[in-house]
Amino acid sequence: MTWLITGGAGYIGAHVARAMAGAGERVVALDDLSAGVPARLPEGIPLVQGSSLDGELLKRVLAEHAVTGVVHLAARKQVGESVAEPTRYYQENVGGLATLLEAVAGAGVERFVFSSSAAVYGNPDVDLITEDTPCAPMSPYGETKLAGEWLVRAAGRAHGIGTVCLRYFNVAGAAAPELADTGVFNVVPMVFDRLTRDEAPRIFGDDYPTPDGTCVRDYIHVADLAEAHLAAARRLAAADAPGDLTVNIGRGEGVSVRELVTLIGEVTGDTRPALVEPRRPGDAPRAVASSALAAAELGWSARRGVREMVESAWRGWQLHHA
């Protein structure tokens, strides 16, 4: 089998490529390099520069590399940017997916893993979010991921493609320093960035109905996430492969923002107190995954803790921001 990984030179994509290649799967990466870094990919993995919006390129890549399965990670993913540029998000995230699925169906590819997000759930008032929790996304980004799931399942039914949609929770950490997240969009690198600039970290709201008043989130190590993709790919290759499957990818444990900031202070040695600022619109008080279905269907569960995420992310930050 050969797996095409779109967004394969990105932060998550490169981890997935390494995990799958390291487990003996043949892999080819496609990336437009708007955020991807070719050096992240291990030697021996072909990299095709291009976009999932380019249908002719996709047809050529699928044929030339005899692709039998696709892991689709390429997408725009910033919530705030999606609010400002909704048409761009729909065009790239949903339009690119539609173009890719059309090429996949035409090439007779029968396995498809889709990168979704816990953003599809919105702000549910539940202790643990299961895959049956109603979806009510609160941003154009979340809407494009939910629409993407619908499209993946519909194309799967129409063309006999086995599909798995993975709903990621909050991703952090790095399997190696050179693979670390270089953007400053997620909470861990945002705190690192503040500390590096000799500024106190920020907490947005401390009056939520949670034990310490700050938002509670489920953090997943990117290496565990990569292993979940490998598990999904192999589930689709099994004799009893499902027609379609949607699973949460999280640890099933909540960590508050204040707890996370305190841990970052311990790891970095910079323990200055955080500044508390007003709540941001749309932040849910609590968003923690039920990971039971991933364990049952994929035989997967997270193995790495939050301290390991922060320590590995800090090593990567120091490498890239020395």
Side-chain angles (χ1 to χ4, degrees), residues 7-290:
Y11 165 53
I12 294 174
H15 278 90
V16 174
R18 286 196 176 203
M20 293 184 70
E25 301 289 344
R26 290 193 298 274
V27 169
V28 57
L30 174 77
D31 202 297
D32 67 5
L33 301 184
S34 59
V37 179
R40 284 181 172 140
L41 288 167
E43 187 176 348
I45 293 182
L47 171 62
V48 178
Q49 184 173 354
S51 167
S52 56
L53 288 161
D54 187 340
E56 292 305 313
L57 173 65
L58 293 171
K59 292 175 186 176
R60 192 161 62 249
V61 171
L62 293 173
E64 289 179 359
H65 294 274
V67 170
T68 52
V70 173
V71 178
H72 182 49
L73 298 124
R76 302 204 68 81
K77 62 175 186 176
Q78 302 307 324
V79 169
E81 184 182 61
S82 79
V83 173
E85 302 180 60
T87 55
R88 182 184 186 188
Y89 267 66
Y90 272 86
Q91 181 182 36
E92 295 196 22
N93 290 6
V94 182
L97 174 60
T99 302
L100 176 59
L101 284 167
E102 186 174 30
V104 161
V109 175
E110 296 180 345
R111 301 171 183 91
F112 196 94
V113 179
F114 177 60
S115 163
S116 189
S117 168
V120 301
Y121 293 114
N123 188 0
D125 184 18
V126 294
D127 187 48
L128 285 179
I129 297 173
T130 74
E131 291 79 1
D132 293 327
T133 298
C135 292
M138 299 178 66
S139 68
Y141 166 69
E143 292 167 3
T144 64
K145 286 300 183 181
L146 184 56
E149 289 187 11
W150 295 339
L151 181 54
V152 165
R153 294 186 201 108
R157 289 191 297 269
H159 302 291
I161 304 167
T163 66
V164 178
C165 296
L166 301 179
R167 292 174 173 170
Y168 311 169
F169 280 66
N170 296 269
V171 185
E178 62 271 19
L179 297 183
D181 189 358
T182 56
V184 187
F185 304 109
N186 299 318
V187 62
V188 173
M190 286 173 70
V191 174
F192 291 164
D193 181 58
R194 297 278 295 184
L195 297 179
T196 301
R197 291 189 284 115
D198 198 30
E199 297 175 2
R202 294 183 295 178
I203 292 175
F204 296 98
D206 65 351
D207 57 348
Y208 286 94
T210 60
D212 66 13
T214 67
C215 294
V216 173
R217 295 290 181 267
D218 190 334
Y219 296 93
I220 178 76
H221 197 297
V222 66
D224 282 327
L225 177 63
E227 290 168 4
H229 286 79
L230 174 63
R234 292 194 161 168
R235 183 74 180 89
L236 287 174
D240 62 343
D244 67 84
L245 183 63
T246 300
V247 293
N248 290 335
I249 302 297
R251 293 173 60 248
E253 298 177 14
V255 177
S256 76
V257 174
R258 189 175 294 282
E259 288 172 332
L260 182 66
V261 169
T262 298
L263 178 56
I264 292 172
E266 294 173 5
V267 169
T268 63
D270 190 329
T271 58
R272 74 184 77 190
L275 299 174
V276 177
E277 299 192 359
R279 294 185 183 191
R280 296 180 301 188
D283 276 348
R286 177 180 173 86
V288 180
S290 167

